[in-house]
Amino acid sequence: MLAIEIEEHARKLMEAQGPRAIAEAAQKARSLEEQGAAEQAVTWRRVEAALRRLQGPRAK
C-alpha cells in the first residue's frame, strides 16, 4: 500500500471506530504476524502508526 493509501485508510478507520481504531489495527497486525502473513502485518503496523499520528500529542 502506498503511504497516501495508508493515511486515508487510517482516517476512515478513526472516523468509524474512534479511539478503538488503534487497538483494532494493532490486534489485526498481531493476528497476521501469528498467521505468518508478514507483509500484511507490516501494512497494519503502518496503519497503526498513522492512527497514532492522527491522535495527536498526549497531554500529561
Side-chain angles (χ1 to χ4, degrees):
M1 235 186 230
L2 298 173
I4 191 132
E5 293 171 322
I6 296 284
E7 296 291 328
E8 184 177 317
H9 190 76
R11 270 191 232 104
K12 288 180 182 178
L13 193 57
M14 183 64 86
E15 287 175 9
Q17 299 285 330
R20 292 183 337 166
I22 296 170
E24 185 176 327
Q27 184 177 20
K28 182 75 172 171
R30 183 173 181 201
S31 175
L32 288 165
E33 289 166 349
E34 290 172 353
Q35 294 172 18
E39 190 173 319
Q40 291 174 323
V42 167
T43 299
W44 278 98
R45 291 292 179 199
R46 291 176 65 197
V47 170
E48 180 186 2
L51 287 164
R52 290 186 188 282
R53 286 190 300 274
L54 287 173
Q55 186 181 30
R58 291 182 151 185
K60 290 185 178 182

